[in-house]
Amino acid sequence: MAEAVVGNTSARPALLAHAARIWGDANGVQRAAICVAVLLLIVAAFAPFIAPHEPTAQSLISRLRPPIGFERFKDGYLLGTDELGRDVLSRSLHGLQLTLILAALGATIGLLLGGTLGLVSGIAGGIVDDVVMGAVDAQIAIPFTLIALLTLAIFGSSIEVMVLVLGLYGWEQYARIVRGEVRRLMAMPFIEAARAAGASGGRIAFRHVLPNAVSPLVVQFTLSISNIVLLESTLSFLGMGVQPPTATLGSMVGIGRDYLPTAPWIVIVPAMMILLVTFAVQILGDWLRDRADVRLRDR
């Protein structure tokens, strides 16, 4: 027991030192992105406790009230109210939480689907490779927004269908990355040595090949999150996303566009959150790429 405690306590300084080293290697923009990302995650995680009102609570006598500092401001509604008298701040916080959940689930499904197909395609080769790469080429050739709109029009705009649609977005990128890495790694001497030692195809795939393809997948995962956030916002803006009264950042922008000339705060608040999310994720994705790629890191 004493040895376990000592081990845990000794690991903390090493972890803190590693975090300090990462922070020291980052430039000003990257540090700002880290701070924004951490803040957004904390706010999203504790949205039900931070939000001053229920996101669906209506007060028609308080509709279209401006944020604090303007005339007709109503106490308790710091960022104003929307067309139904709902608190914009509370809906934005809950919308941020749901938007990040949808983005994380969608990116995870895309990673698992595309990564698995890319791994199978690269190792099996032959007709399997031709079929998978043909599906990848077809996916790239067809604008995904059209596929998403058609799917949502047929199966509805429930959260479950939305997660499935978002999960299909970008799978071809994962498949191409993993296939390329697998084809490169399969020609390496250590793979030949594993084969000579009698390792099965599954062992080679999951023990030797997949761990060496993790770095580009992590980078692609971070970049996919911001793209999925924008896709969800686009679908919600077009009225095909998560349906009212459930709030997402995109749906708030889509509904608020009709009131933009008279009540711009309905759109500005969720739009700024979308901007912050995409900024933080894109900067961190580029940063992870630079740290993971030895060629870029050594320049």
Side-chain angles (χ1 to χ4, degrees):
M1 177 66 71
E3 293 179 356
V5 173
V6 172
N8 291 335
T9 55
S10 62
R12 290 178 184 175
L15 183 61
L16 292 176
H18 182 65
R21 185 166 59 254
I22 292 176
W23 179 264
D25 293 340
N27 58 35
V29 176
Q30 292 163 349
R31 291 178 181 178
I34 293 173
C35 294
V36 170
V38 171
L39 179 61
L40 289 174
L41 289 175
I42 293 175
V43 168
F46 294 97
F49 307 100
I50 299 175
H53 302 278
E54 288 294 324
T56 57
Q58 302 181 14
S59 178
L60 295 180
I61 61 174
S62 303
R63 62 189 300 268
L64 299 179
R65 292 296 186 94
I68 186 173
F70 293 87
E71 295 183 4
R72 299 184 60 250
F73 162 73
K74 183 175 178 60
D75 291 337
Y77 297 88
L78 295 178
L79 298 182
T81 59
D82 64 7
E83 74 283 358
L84 296 178
R86 297 171 297 192
D87 182 38
V88 172
L89 175 59
S90 299
R91 288 182 63 78
S92 297
L93 293 176
H94 282 82
L96 174 65
Q97 183 185 65
L98 182 55
T99 296
L100 291 180
I101 291 174
L102 291 175
L105 289 176
T108 302
I109 294 174
L111 170 62
L112 295 176
L113 176 61
T116 301
L117 290 176
L119 186 63
V120 172
S121 174
I123 292 178
I127 189 172
V128 175
D129 185 32
D130 293 337
V131 171
V132 173
M133 288 300 102
V136 168
D137 293 337
Q139 176 71 69
I140 295 174
I142 303 174
F144 187 79
T145 303
L146 297 179
I147 299 176
L149 290 175
L150 178 62
T151 304
L152 293 171
I154 294 175
F155 297 103
S157 301
S158 64
I159 293 181
E160 292 79 8
V161 176
M162 178 64 70
V163 170
L164 178 61
V165 169
L166 297 178
L168 293 176
Y169 177 75
W171 70 268
E172 73 280 1
Q173 300 295 332
Y174 293 108
R176 294 182 68 180
I177 290 173
V178 173
R179 176 185 177 272
E181 288 294 312
V182 169
R183 297 296 292 269
R184 180 181 67 85
L185 292 169
M186 292 297 286
M188 301 294 285
F190 70 92
I191 297 296
E192 295 294 334
R195 282 176 173 171
S200 63
R203 181 177 178 83
I204 291 175
F206 293 101
R207 184 68 181 271
H208 300 287
V209 175
L210 194 57
N212 288 281
V214 168
S215 295
L217 287 178
V218 170
V219 176
Q220 180 62 33
F221 183 83
T222 59
L223 298 178
S224 294
I225 289 179
S226 62
N227 293 332
I228 290 176
V229 168
L230 295 177
L231 175 62
E232 185 277 325
S233 301
T234 300
L235 295 175
S236 297
F237 184 84
L238 296 174
M240 298 298 293
V242 178
Q243 297 301 302
T246 304
T248 65
L249 298 180
S251 64
M252 293 181 65
V253 173
I255 294 173
R257 70 183 186 273
D258 296 331
Y259 301 89
L260 191 58
T262 57
W265 57 87
I266 300 178
V267 174
I268 291 176
V269 175
M272 288 300 299
M273 286 191 174
I274 294 174
L275 179 63
L276 289 175
V277 170
T278 54
F279 161 76
V281 174
Q282 290 284 2
I283 295 298
L284 293 179
D286 291 340
W287 183 41
L288 286 174
R289 179 199 62 197
D290 296 342
R291 291 185 61 85
D293 195 324
V294 177
R295 295 169 298 179
L296 294 175
R297 192 170 53 200
D298 292 340
R299 288 180 180 177

